[in-house]
Amino acid sequence: MQTNTAARDKTTENVEDDLVHQVEDKFFSDVTQRRSMLISQLPLTVSMLIIAVILAVIRPATLGDPGFQFSLLLSLGLTAMCMLLPWHLLPPGSFVVVPLLDFLAVAVAREATAASFTSLGLLLVFPVIWLAARLGKLGVALSFLGSALVATVPMVVAPSTAPFDAARPFLLPAIMTVIALAIHVLLSSVVSQDRRLKLKDAELRTAYQESLERQRLLDTMLDIVGVGVHAVDASGRDILMNQQHRRNRALAVPPGAPDPADQEVDLLASDGTTPIPPEHRPVARAVQGQSFSDYLVRVGSPANQRVLSSTARAIRDKEGNFTGSVLAFSDVTEFVNALAIKDDFVANISHEFRSPLMSILGYLDLVLDSPEEHPGQHEAFLRIAQKNGEQLLNLVSDLLSASSDSMGVHPQRMDLLDLIRMCVATAKPRAESRGVEIVNEATGSLWLTADSGRVTQVLDNLLSNAVKYSRPGDTVTVRAWDTADLAHFAVADTGIGIAEQDLPKIFTRYFRSDSVRESLIPGVGLGLGIVKRIVENHGGTVTASSKPGLGSIFTVTLPKGTDLADGAAGHAMR
């Protein structure tokens, strides 16, 4: 603020200095020096020419008077001087010669035409205006002296003792002096008023520049925040809107439509499907003077929908009258999605735990409570309970692996194809129970350095998913091949497939697509996340491709080299 005040004071001083310099030339400040001289001299010269024309009509003899001819030629000569002389190269006060010589021209013409014109002395008003306007108080003094000189010429040429004639030398100078004073006072008032206006204009310009700087600062601050800010007046007209809110509102504009007003954009309730009535929209509520917090709305198409939390605060003047409102829109899409994933995870994990636990408890009850009713089946019941217990253990292990940032790998020399054969043999019973066929096209041997236990975990998860998301009669195919220093294997199925928009998310922990949740297929969304982490800890990659209804292919690429065995510690913790 001190810097702004100093700048304003400096500007004011500069304006005052400029005005001081302009006062001297105020009357003709809008033209050059030569044009200024010509404009000042022309009124008198034109008047003399008019008088000459009149004399030529009513009294031609007067035109031959040497005095009138002298005064006319002097006026024309002074006009030529004004046009031809380089006044800007002459001393600043040299122009005063012209109005002083005008006094002489008027004095001589007045005497030469005394018989025809009794009021020719009024022509003195032109040099008087010139002097008073250009020289101020000095001009008033020179006007008095020049007028007095003109008035005394007749007294010197033809003295008179009449009382009225004795007063004549004082009457004309007095009139001219009053005119000069009036011009000086009027011009001083105009200059003073102009000075005040210019000072006020300078202050307003400075204040305007400061306002623009503050506005730019405010706009920059609002544009760097991740919250949409929207200010409206009491009638709902936009006052301010930052870039983030423009992006938010662009999502709500119907495709192909121009940028509409806020009440015309598409806003949905928190369920993502119900349109919000106009009177319940955030801006409409804010215009009604309401203040609220965390009012959720959804904008955008289903594939690109965002959840916005809106907050509004009313603006009131010093009398308490409502003048507008400021709204803030925070993007809480990720938070809302996280809550949905959490709720879905809790529901799924409850189901995943409840089913095997109920089975274990049921079969144990059969063995313990009524052993005589099922003779010879106790071992089968216990094995079923054991299998469900192992399922629970695997689920808990997956949860612990997913919640931990470490998943160590301990590489050693292994045959990938032999491991594939064992994993396929393990998965076949479950696949056959669901009517799904597993085909192993990986034959022979393919040696690489990797953690056989972790690779087994990868294959088991991929095969388990392929069987789970296949329909009766579908086929799961396992292939393997190598290229240079890399080993590849793929698990392909002809099952339900994955939607295109879900493919980038399937390796995210706890993610389950809408179609999977609607199909009631059990799971908690951990398997593929664990697969990705194990593969990356081996220095490899895993990719997925799919078409809904046609199946999916998951491809894993692992390095074959022995550098992992030497640097196992580098990959044991990730």
Side-chain angles (χ1 to χ4, degrees), residues 227-403:
V227 176
V229 180
H230 186 194
V232 294
D233 61 17
S235 60
R237 290 189 297 267
D238 294 342
I239 299 175
L240 180 146
M241 187 185 304
N242 69 345
Q243 291 294 337
Q244 180 60 45
H245 186 61
R246 289 190 178 93
R247 288 190 287 267
N248 292 340
R249 196 158 74 166
L251 291 174
V253 177
D259 186 15
D262 188 84
Q263 64 271 18
E264 298 171 354
V265 299
D266 291 337
L267 293 182
L268 303 176
S270 56
D271 61 5
T273 57
T274 306
I276 299 178
E279 66 274 12
H280 293 161
R281 293 168 180 257
V283 173
R285 292 181 58 188
V287 171
Q288 294 169 13
Q290 298 181 26
S291 293
F292 51 86
S293 300
D294 300 327
Y295 179 51
L296 297 184
V297 298
R298 288 179 179 262
V299 298
S301 61
N304 192 31
Q305 195 170 79
R306 308 300 296 177
V307 183
L308 304 179
S309 174
S310 59
T311 299
R313 293 294 180 268
I315 305 172
R316 301 188 182 277
D317 59 20
K318 60 183 180 180
E319 286 81 21
N321 299 318
F322 175 73
T323 59
S325 187
V326 176
L327 298 96
F329 294 84
S330 304
D331 191 328
V332 294
T333 306
E334 305 304 327
F335 178 70
V336 171
N337 289 343
L339 289 178
I341 292 173
K342 185 263 295 181
D343 293 340
D344 187 53
F345 169 74
V346 170
N348 288 331
I349 203 67
S350 299
H351 174 76
E352 291 292 310
F353 273 103
R354 181 183 297 274
S355 296
L357 279 173
M358 292 297 292
S359 178
I360 292 171
L361 293 174
Y363 282 104
L364 290 178
D365 286 342
L366 290 175
V367 173
L368 296 174
D369 294 343
S370 53
E372 69 284 350
E373 293 183 7
H374 303 280
Q377 298 185 26
H378 292 174
E379 182 179 353
F381 291 164
L382 290 175
R383 289 191 181 280
I384 294 174
Q386 181 186 34
K387 179 182 177 182
N388 282 282
E390 291 174 350
Q391 183 179 343
L392 280 175
L393 179 61
N394 291 333
L395 180 58
V396 172
S397 298
D398 286 347
L399 287 171
L400 292 175
S401 298
S403 63

Side-chain angles (χ1 to χ4, degrees), residues 15 23 42 54 66 74 86 95 128 134 153 163 236 269 283 293 343 347 403 416 450 486 504 516 528-529 568:
V15 172
V23 167
L42 275 178
I54 295 174
L74 180 58
F95 75 92
V128 165
R134 294 294 295 269
V153 168
V283 173
S293 300
D343 293 340
S403 63
L416 176 62
L486 299 175
V516 169
L528 292 179

Side-chain angles (χ1 to χ4, degrees), residues 68-118:
F68 182 78
Q69 292 177 353
F70 170 77
S71 63
L72 183 59
L73 291 175
L74 180 58
S75 295
L76 293 173
L78 291 174
T79 302
M81 286 174 56
C82 292
M83 289 189 298
L84 301 176
L85 289 182
W87 294 100
H88 63 284
L89 300 178
L90 299 177
S94 57
F95 75 92
V96 75
V97 173
V98 176
L100 291 178
L101 290 176
D102 283 340
F103 280 107
L104 176 60
V106 172
V108 174
R110 180 169 175 259
E111 288 303 314
T113 60
S116 303
F117 298 100
T118 58

